Amino acid sequence: MASVTVRETAGAGLYSRKRIEEMSGEKISACFQCEKCSNGCPMVFAMDIQPHRVMHCLQLGLVEEVLNSDTIWVCVSCQTCTTRCPNDIDIAHVVDTLRQLSARRQVKESQKSVAVFHTAFLSSIKRFGRVHEASMVVSYAFQNEGITGVRKQLNLGLEMMRKGKIKLVPSRLWAGKQVKEIFRKAGRKRAQ
Amino acid sequence: MKVSYYPGCSLEGTAKEYGQSFETVARDLGIELHELNGWTCCGASSAHVTNDEMAVSLGVRNLLLANKTRMDLVVPCAACYQRLKAAEKAVNTRKTIEGIPAGFATQGRIRHIVDFIWEECGEQAIREKVRKPLQALSPVCYYGCLVTRPPHITDARDPEDPRAMDDILKSLDANVKNWSYKTDCCGGNLMLTHPELARKLVARLFDMALEAGANCIAVGCPMCHASLDTVQRDITRSDGASYNLPVYYFTELMGLAFGNRAAGGWFNRHLTDAKSLLSRNGLL
């Protein structure tokens, strides 16, 4: 587990603990470091900053460190931490907030695939109103690793097609208009 | 009884057999499903990590449709269920959300089908339908994350130890095994982006299922199914052997026990052999 280096600029970054609390609506200052979140986390083995330390970092204003961590991208959103927190902090939601902030700037190269996946997934919703799995996976694989990425998915894709698990033609819905509107509004807010 | 029905995107593709088996079983149990006209994606696991407002709005769009029907809304996919519940909680607790009519409140309940079937039908009604008891099957019930977590969203009574699926399968005379991994994560969310990490979680589930004495796994979530069934062949036990653990939707097992002829077709769609265990035991 990598230790967190406290830089001299700590707290002077773009976001303070208070700002993250406002954005997430979660009372991060209530964390008393019981470590239940980290003990129950299924992904902790792949994290560079354990969940309880994420909370501690935020309390200390070390927001940049957390935004640059692997932790926020390998979190599976399983909600175990949120469920078990004795102080009712929705920790998984705090992680969502951190991912949103991180994605506004640049996601670190080693975790790029996760951000690319979410973009491909949301594009599919925006385009069709529903996710069209087959084209979404191809689009993700191509954006992530180019033609090599697509090739990696090919065998499984063909077998799933043989098994009748692939819907070839996406549904195009009149309701898609309303969905596009939701995306337009969300995009506008983000730009503000 | 009549309910409205939100299938969710994967039931149109990778989880087709989940939809087919649920619809068949619902018919057998006298449940009339009315698919929400013009339903759209709930935002799944991507909207809430990208934009809170968008995540709520994508869910609420469907809740507005459901409100018109004035019926309860049943949802087979655990992720859809949790996102629609999250949208419901957001609009019922926050005063104003852009684009949502003031004073909007959900009319019917949003229910995951595992709880819905158990609460509405119960042991008696399920037992009455059984033609082929499943004594030969020893499943562990795997609920995954989002049927029960987080409880402030899902209203789950016992988020760490749900029992509805166990109870349903016991009513089919299956030899249900108890285990501690009912709600441990399968890493489905990372299946495409960090497959090596997701496989570690899946392998542990397989190991624990075998340790519990199971010969198959029952699920109630398309993402869990994809993650346990689809990539199973790529994962080997520490001694190099393969797991060979069929992964069934609990609705498929219900349909099988009810003697439904369509069942064979559902199992053909699995990537991990789901039929040998059944035919070996005269169930197919």
Side-chain angles (χ1 to χ4, degrees):
Chain A
M1 206 62 62
S3 65
V4 176
T5 320
V6 180
R7 292 200 309 251
E8 282 186 9
T9 52
L14 206 49
Y15 304 103
S16 63
R17 185 257 304 159
K18 222 171 156 211
R19 183 86 182 95
I20 304 289
E21 285 194 335
E22 279 166 16
M23 296 180 77
S24 64
E26 302 300 331
K27 204 172 173 208
I28 292 158
S29 56
C31 170
F32 53 37
Q33 295 290 297
C34 72
E35 301 186 24
K36 270 182 108 173
C37 50
S38 298
N39 284 321
C41 176
M43 293 313 297
V44 75
F45 70 92
M47 289 177 173
D48 49 355
I49 308 179
Q50 295 160 284
H52 74 284
R53 289 192 168 173
V54 167
M55 302 309 280
H56 201 189
C57 282
L58 296 177
Q59 288 176 335
L60 295 172
L62 301 173
V63 181
E64 290 297 315
E65 277 74 1
V66 177
L67 287 179
N68 290 321
S69 69
D70 291 325
T71 298
I72 60 172
W73 297 108
V74 298
C75 161
V76 263
S77 303
C78 73
Q79 314 287 329
T80 308
C81 51
T82 296
T83 301
R84 295 181 184 171
C85 177
N87 294 312
D88 290 332
I89 307 170
D90 189 339
I91 302 165
H93 187 229
V94 173
V95 173
D96 280 348
T97 306
L98 295 166
R99 286 189 272 219
Q100 291 166 20
L101 287 175
S102 172
R104 280 190 206 178
R105 305 181 312 181
Q106 204 172 8
V107 177
K108 64 195 277 191
E109 191 56 30
S110 56
Q111 297 297 341
K112 204 190 68 179
S113 63
V114 185
V116 171
F117 171 78
H118 291 310
T119 309
F121 196 94
L122 291 174
S123 306
S124 192
I125 304 178
K126 189 176 171 187
R127 187 149 176 223
F128 304 118
R130 293 176 192 166
V131 173
H132 180 244
E133 295 167 325
S135 59
M136 183 275 289
V137 170
V138 172
S139 156
Y140 156 73
F142 187 75
Q143 287 176 65
N144 192 39
E145 291 182 290
I147 203 74
T148 324
V150 179
R151 255 193 226 123
K152 279 188 198 166
Q153 303 295 337
L154 202 63
N155 278 341
L156 186 59
L158 287 175
E159 173 147 21
M160 289 175 86
M161 199 178 291
R162 271 198 299 275
K163 299 274 184 180
K165 275 180 167 288
I166 306 264
K167 182 180 161 75
L168 286 173
V169 184
S171 325
R172 271 192 181 274
L173 305 162
W174 61 267
K177 271 188 198 157
Q178 292 175 0
V179 171
K180 283 196 178 74
E181 182 63 15
I182 291 171
F183 277 85
R184 204 183 56 78
K185 277 186 187 154
R188 201 187 57 215
K189 280 216 166 151
R190 218 159 140 184
Q192 276 168 7
Chain B
M1 116 174 266
K2 291 181 186 177
V3 285
S4 51
Y5 171 40
Y6 179 90
C9 305
S10 22
L11 269 72
E12 294 191 322
T14 47
K16 218 173 212 170
E17 66 272 28
Y18 190 20
Q20 290 170 339
S21 56
F22 171 54
E23 286 157 27
T24 306
V25 165
R27 209 167 25 246
D28 290 345
L29 291 168
I31 299 162
E32 213 175 286
L33 300 176
H34 295 265
E35 185 171 330
L36 270 192
N37 197 8
W39 62 268
T40 46
C41 178
C42 66
S45 48
S46 290
H48 68 87
V49 308
T50 308
N51 184 307
D52 287 350
E53 211 68 20
M54 181 205 286
V56 172
S57 305
L58 286 170
V60 168
R61 206 204 143 258
N62 295 295
L63 299 185
L64 286 166
L65 296 176
N67 256 16
K68 286 186 201 157
T69 70
R70 300 190 166 271
M71 296 183 276
D72 282 3
L73 180 66
V74 299
V75 188
C77 169
C80 299
Y81 169 72
Q82 197 247 26
R83 292 323 306 164
L84 294 176
K85 285 289 285 183
E88 178 194 41
K89 298 279 168 172
V91 289
N92 290 351
T93 53
R94 277 153 55 187
K95 283 196 180 71
T96 48
I97 293 174
E98 205 192 325
I100 294 159
F104 170 83
T106 46
Q107 306 277 336
R109 288 167 67 196
I110 302 167
R111 308 172 76 178
H112 186 267
I113 62 169
V114 74
D115 289 320
F116 168 75
I117 291 177
W118 182 245
E119 285 163 17
E120 291 303 326
C121 304
E123 185 174 350
Q124 191 61 33
I126 295 172
R127 260 186 205 288
E128 276 171 15
K129 298 281 168 201
V130 175
R131 305 273 175 280
K132 288 186 199 168
L134 305 183
Q135 282 108 341
L137 297 189
S138 303
V140 282
C141 294
Y142 179 60
Y143 299 76
C145 303
L146 302 177
V147 176
T148 63
R149 279 196 302 267
H152 74 268
I153 298 288
T154 61
D155 297 320
R157 279 191 298 273
D158 204 345
E160 306 270 7
D161 185 21
R163 281 179 288 266
M165 198 194 306
D166 295 66
D167 291 336
I168 291 174
L169 298 189
K170 281 176 192 165
S171 309
L172 310 174
D173 282 338
N175 177 23
V176 178
K177 298 290 181 185
N178 205 5
W179 69 328
S180 314
Y181 288 77
K182 285 180 178 181
T183 61
D184 274 42
C185 184
C186 69
N189 212 329
L190 297 174
M191 208 174 0
L192 282 167
T193 53
H194 286 299
E196 70 297 347
L197 299 180
R199 276 168 205 178
K200 284 193 181 170
L201 301 197
V202 177
R204 194 181 51 178
L205 292 174
F206 291 151
D207 286 333
M208 292 302 130
L210 290 175
E211 198 178 292
N215 60 11
C216 59
I217 301 178
V219 299
C221 168
M223 285 228 294
C224 297
H225 192 270
S227 144
L228 269 57
D229 176 71
T230 313
V231 298
Q232 193 175 132
R233 71 185 66 188
D234 300 333
I235 306 172
T236 48
R237 291 155 65 165
S238 47
D239 60 6
S242 56
Y243 284 100
N244 285 326
L245 269 170
V247 185
Y248 301 111
Y249 288 108
F250 77 98
T251 46
E252 291 179 315
L253 295 180
M254 293 183 81
L256 176 72
F258 291 175
N260 223 291
R261 287 215 187 127
W266 308 330
F267 302 125
N268 278 338
R269 293 188 193 275
H270 292 218
L271 272 80
T272 302
D273 176 19
K275 291 176 94 171
S276 300
L277 175 68
L278 303 178
S279 47
R280 229 179 15 247
N281 290 290
L283 290 167
L284 205 62

